[in-house]
């Protein structure tokens, strides 16, 4: 089962780029952790203060290790210095994954594989 973290963090616009730049080493540290498939923090091109968070983990156990580890705790400390205005992150358990494009090459919202 895959765990996905998705969310947004809002900063004063002047703080977003320094917060992201200073987080790079912590993001790199998280990417090196067992079970971390993706760990991306990106600036929203439409909102000058918003950062989008996307993470993908192989298991809840590996995510828990991350949440108790140096990269996560370091990120909390780092971000505290940039006046977070709002943060909303959510976790999702994913038991079925398929490509967006079907065998015919067309994008579809329909899942083609039946789940037992």
């Amino acid at each position: 089962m895959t765990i996905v973290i998705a969310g947004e963090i809002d900063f004063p616009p002047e703080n977003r780029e320094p917060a992201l730049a200073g987080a790079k080493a912590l993001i790199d540290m998280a990417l090196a952790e067992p079970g971390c498939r993706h760990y991306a923090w990106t600036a929203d091109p439409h909102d000058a203060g918003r950062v989008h968070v996307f993470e993908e983990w192989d298991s809840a156990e590996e995510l828990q290790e991350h949440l108790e580890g140096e990269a996560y705790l370091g990120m909390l400390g780092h971000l505290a210095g940039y006046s977070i205005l709002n943060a909303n992150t959510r976790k999702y358990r994913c038991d079925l994954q398929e490509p967006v494009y079907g065998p015919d090459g067309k994008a579809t919202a329909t899942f083609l594989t039946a789940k037992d």
Side-chain angles (χ1 to χ4, degrees), residues 70-92:
E70 185 179 350
Y72 178 78
L73 297 174
M75 185 68 81
L76 289 179
H78 168 71
L79 295 179
Y82 291 94
S83 304
I84 294 173
L85 302 174
N86 185 48
N88 182 20
T89 54
R90 299 157 305 276
K91 62 182 178 249
Y92 301 89

Side-chain angles (χ1 to χ4, degrees), residues 7-106:
E8 310 81 37
I9 303 173
D10 295 323
F11 299 95
E14 65 275 12
N15 289 0
R16 180 181 74 183
E17 292 310 315
L20 280 173
K24 185 179 181 328
L26 295 163
I27 292 168
D28 290 343
M29 188 184 302
L31 283 166
E33 292 178 348
C36 184
R37 292 186 199 171
H38 301 285
Y39 199 101
W41 290 48
T42 58
D44 185 319
H46 303 289
D47 184 326
R50 179 161 287 175
V51 170
H52 290 279
V53 175
F54 178 82
E55 303 173 25
E56 187 176 356
W57 295 86
D58 286 335
S59 70
E61 294 78 17
E62 287 162 319
L63 172 59
Q64 187 62 46
E65 288 179 26
H66 167 70
L67 296 174
E68 295 171 359
E70 185 179 350
Y72 178 78
L73 297 174
M75 185 68 81
L76 289 179
H78 168 71
L79 295 179
Y82 291 94
S83 304
I84 294 173
L85 302 174
N86 185 48
N88 182 20
T89 54
R90 299 157 305 276
K91 62 182 178 249
Y92 301 89
R93 288 187 317 207
C94 303
D95 65 343
L96 181 59
Q97 299 176 48
E98 290 186 353
V100 171
Y101 293 89
D104 59 1
K106 293 183 182 178

